Amino acid sequence: MSVSEMSHVIDQEELAIARAERFERIGKWALPAIVLIAVLVLWDRVVVWNGIPHYILPGPGLVLQTLIEDWATLFDSLMVTLKITLMALGVAVVGGVGLAVLFTQSRFVEMSFYPFAVILQVTPVVSIAPLIFIYVDSKLTALLLCAWLVAFFPILSNTTLGLNSTDHNLRDLYRIYGATRWQRLRFLQLPAALPYFLGGLRIAGGLSLIGAVVAEYVAGTGGIGSGLAFRILEAGYRLNIPRMFAALLLIAATGVLIFAATSLLSHLLLRKWHESAIKKEG
Amino acid sequence: MDGSAVITDPKTASAALLPLGQRPRLLEMSAVDKIFNGDVVALRGMSLSVHQGDFISLLGPSGCGKSTALRLIAGLMRPTSGAIRWEGGQQKGDLGVVFQEPTLMPWATVAQNVWLPFRLRGRSFSSVRDDVLWALKLVGLEKFQTAYPRELSGGMKMRASIARALVTQPRLILMDEPFAALDEITRHRLNNDLLELRDKLNCTVIFVTHSVFESVFLSDRIVVMAARPGRVSRELTVDAPYPRGEVFRTSAAYAELCRAASDALHGAMNEHGERDRA
């Protein structure tokens, strides 16, 4: 058999692999879309066939209609929740990374404070939130504090892990070359911690949204009274179930958006060198 | 540069390598002990004079303290007793190091990795770009400046690591089994290239290895070490002129030297009725 003939031979196994890859590519989007449509249709039919009143279970169409009709109100609330979420995430990043750096720079500080960071993390925020609302006058600050409490820990623990995960030979090399503490942090530990930090950020993004919503619930109608969670509570009291669903939809969409944004950020920052962002070659 | 006037600038033609015995002293290790946990003797009574231009191999089985000796010279640990003295005192930038792993920073390009020793001395990249390029050219990586380490083969990563060790033109280069993890063909080629570099730069090298062939091919002094406790067993001189290449590798003299080194190594391993043979 000549070489040119050889190069056109694609065996059964290769074909099977190609088929599997095609299925993977299409299925990743098509399958969830099919499931979503099926559930929506089923939901709609269940409501219509059983004649369920909209104050018990609204159909998907009505939810969408409410979303559009109440858009002005809901959008304002979304902005309030989003603002608290993003501010909390920002403070969590600053606080988490700052504490992590402090911990790796001083073993003394780490030994003194790490246990309390864990205690803060494992105590449910719902149980701390009422106290926070008693002692903190500004509702905004209180909400922010609650969201931060939930969100900062994954960033702290991941970044600490990353800062301590530098290659020991590289650490030796830095020592041999007489690197200062600051140089080691700046050129070695921070870049090494970046993938870990970004992993923590993805978790913290979702958690800060949860923290913001939970805090709003606890603050209740006496709170600043305009976030999405407040809208859900308010709509619940008025038996405006379609609006509850519409607000819920917005919260879920926000969560997905935050996750997508942090994933994109992670990809952009790591694509050049980190294994997690590199597609298998060859 | 950096006040290290002791070395001749390799970028200009370097002074001819003086014969063994006439080279000025660079470093003196005298009666160094290193004891871990109070009773594990990693190194006992090691004395070694390193002279400018020496290519010294530390040859021995695992556990003979050859890596410990290297870490002591690198200043990563301090001797339990004894002393290590640099001629004219040790300064920042006197050392270049190559580990068994390439030990490159994966987030930095090849050029940025080679820049590191300068960067840690506060030098900007643009101020040392010529030096970085020079070092990369020496190891044949000038076309890969902007590549990331993951894009390089194992041998090329090791070349980048060697370029980083050379870039500051240190007085002494320490190599800790740098080619042990590479395949035979790559190792062979890197050995040849390392000798070529050495002929160009007349650099001083301490090279840790457990390969008899490697130590004979590369070095002019072989320090054979024994284990339990780690110590110097004997020292051999490889009396073959540089440059060495394939001709030397296939010569009868090489085979004879390898046998002598091998005998010395086995002698070291059997000292004091050692139970285990590597």
Side-chain angles (χ1 to χ4, degrees):
Chain A
M1 198 181 274
S2 74
V3 176
S4 63
E5 263 177 279
M6 279 293 289
S7 64
H8 284 98
V9 174
I10 297 170
D11 67 22
Q12 288 302 312
E13 199 178 355
E14 290 286 310
L15 279 174
I17 290 170
R19 256 199 314 275
E21 274 172 4
R22 205 165 48 239
F23 177 76
E24 185 82 13
R25 226 173 24 243
I26 299 168
K28 210 163 71 179
W29 299 102
L31 290 179
I34 291 168
V35 170
L36 179 68
I37 290 166
V39 168
L40 287 177
V41 169
L42 189 70
W43 174 7
D44 184 58
R45 288 301 95 196
V46 166
V47 171
V48 172
W49 286 336
N50 296 313
I52 300 176
H54 64 79
Y55 52 84
I56 305 248
L57 179 66
L62 184 58
V63 170
L64 190 67
Q65 196 191 330
T66 311
L67 186 62
I68 295 164
E69 278 170 4
D70 294 356
W71 181 251
T73 319
L74 288 174
F75 184 75
D76 285 348
S77 303
L78 172 66
M79 283 302 121
V80 170
T81 303
L82 200 60
K83 192 177 102 187
I84 291 166
T85 303
L86 293 182
M87 280 169 77
L89 187 59
V91 183
V93 167
V94 173
V97 172
L99 272 178
V101 168
L102 202 63
F103 281 3
T104 47
Q105 291 304 297
S106 163
R107 189 84 185 109
F108 184 77
V109 174
E110 183 180 1
M111 287 192 292
S112 307
F113 292 106
Y114 191 75
F116 301 102
V118 175
I119 290 170
L120 269 183
Q121 167 64 18
V122 297
T123 312
V125 72
V126 222
S127 57
I128 315 176
L131 286 174
I132 292 177
F133 282 102
I134 291 174
Y135 296 117
V136 179
D137 283 333
S138 156
K139 288 292 175 202
L140 183 71
T141 311
L143 287 174
L144 208 55
L145 199 58
C146 290
W148 178 78
L149 273 181
V150 194
F152 93 100
F153 191 78
I155 294 186
L156 169 66
S157 74
N158 268 29
T159 309
T160 306
L161 180 67
L163 290 170
N164 291 330
S165 300
T166 49
D167 180 279
H168 67 99
N169 278 334
L170 273 172
R171 271 205 303 269
D172 284 350
L173 197 74
Y174 272 67
R175 256 183 81 190
I176 290 169
Y177 287 132
T180 62
R181 189 179 264 254
W182 163 248
Q183 285 176 324
R184 196 178 59 216
L185 178 68
R186 168 80 188 74
F187 302 144
L188 179 62
Q189 289 178 293
L190 285 176
L194 186 64
Y196 295 84
F197 161 74
L198 289 166
L201 183 69
R202 272 202 276 192
I203 301 169
L207 284 181
S208 53
L209 179 63
I210 293 174
V213 168
V214 167
E216 262 186 62
Y217 274 126
V218 175
T221 43
I224 52 172
S226 50
L228 276 178
F230 170 76
R231 290 289 164 226
I232 292 179
L233 281 179
E234 181 197 49
Y237 293 141
R238 298 179 184 171
L239 283 184
N240 188 349
I241 312 297
R243 189 188 267 196
M244 290 177 86
F245 270 96
L248 175 66
L249 200 64
L250 278 181
I251 291 178
T254 306
V256 171
L257 206 71
I258 291 173
F259 183 78
T262 48
S263 297
L264 181 70
L265 181 72
S266 173
H267 177 76
L268 290 178
L269 288 175
L270 300 181
R271 74 197 148 125
K272 287 252 177 68
W273 62 275
H274 197 254
E275 292 298 335
S276 67
I278 294 161
K279 289 212 176 75
K280 214 172 108 186
E281 283 157 26
Chain B
M1 61 184 60
D2 291 291
S4 47
V6 197
I7 57 157
T8 49
D9 186 355
K11 273 182 270 189
T12 60
S14 49
L17 192 61
L18 294 167
L20 279 172
Q22 294 176 28
R23 298 174 184 167
R25 191 162 59 192
L26 178 66
L27 180 137
E28 184 77 42
M29 211 175 162
S30 39
V32 168
D33 286 349
K34 183 66 192 176
I35 298 162
F36 294 121
N37 296 328
D39 60 350
V40 183
V41 183
L43 206 58
R44 168 139 294 164
M46 178 162 179
S47 294
L48 181 69
S49 302
V50 181
H51 301 87
Q52 268 175 54
D54 282 357
F55 197 121
I56 302 174
S57 281
L58 302 183
L59 173 68
S62 31
C64 71
K66 51 195 194 304
S67 288
T68 304
L70 215 62
R71 292 178 69 81
L72 285 163
I73 295 171
L76 290 171
M77 341 166 151
R78 245 172 269 164
T80 308
S81 62
I84 297 170
R85 264 182 236 95
W86 285 74
E87 208 61 38
Q90 192 190 356
Q91 283 155 14
K92 243 186 175 184
D94 274 349
L95 276 172
V97 192
V98 181
F99 296 102
Q100 183 172 341
E101 304 295 325
T103 315
L104 302 171
M105 298 175 289
W107 54 84
T109 62
V110 168
Q112 286 169 340
N113 268 291
V114 174
W115 169 38
L116 181 75
F118 279 125
R119 192 184 197 189
L120 293 177
R121 286 195 234 162
R123 306 283 295 269
S124 70
F125 186 78
S126 52
S127 74
V128 293
R129 179 177 285 123
D130 289 347
D131 300 75
V132 170
L133 256 178
W134 165 78
L136 284 174
K137 259 191 200 124
L138 277 178
V139 298
L141 283 183
E142 69 271 25
K143 291 204 182 80
F144 294 89
Q145 289 174 62
T146 55
Y148 284 85
R150 64 167 187 93
E151 299 168 295
L152 305 182
S153 68
M156 285 158 87
K157 279 183 201 155
M158 199 39 91
R159 284 169 192 276
S161 187
I162 292 171
R164 180 179 59 196
L166 291 172
V167 73
T168 55
Q169 300 167 30
R171 290 161 83 191
L172 177 61
I173 295 169
L174 305 178
M175 302 182 117
D176 192 358
E177 304 193 36
F179 309 140
L182 298 173
D183 64 89
E184 188 62 32
I185 296 167
T186 308
R187 167 197 271 241
H188 196 101
R189 190 173 303 142
L190 278 170
N191 275 336
N192 289 348
D193 292 355
L194 180 60
L195 272 197
E196 238 176 72
L197 279 179
R198 200 266 180 148
D199 287 335
K200 262 186 226 161
L201 308 177
N202 283 344
C203 42
T204 313
V205 182
I206 301 181
F207 190 97
V208 166
T209 181
H210 52 237
S211 159
V212 169
F213 306 107
E214 202 168 52
S215 66
V216 170
F217 182 69
L218 291 172
S219 39
D220 41 23
R221 293 170 61 195
I222 301 177
V223 175
V224 182
M225 299 185 69
R228 276 168 291 258
R231 64 200 182 278
V232 174
S233 167
R234 68 200 74 179
E235 187 178 326
L236 306 171
T237 303
V238 180
D239 198 10
Y242 294 95
R244 297 170 185 169
E246 289 310 312
V247 179
F248 175 59
R249 218 195 280 267
T250 50
S251 68
Y254 174 73
E256 193 48 52
L257 285 161
C258 284
R259 182 173 311 144
S262 190
D263 288 347
L265 182 60
H266 281 105
M269 282 156 69
N270 289 327
E271 270 173 28
H272 308 302
E274 280 297 345
R275 298 164 302 276
D276 47 356
R277 286 158 176 268

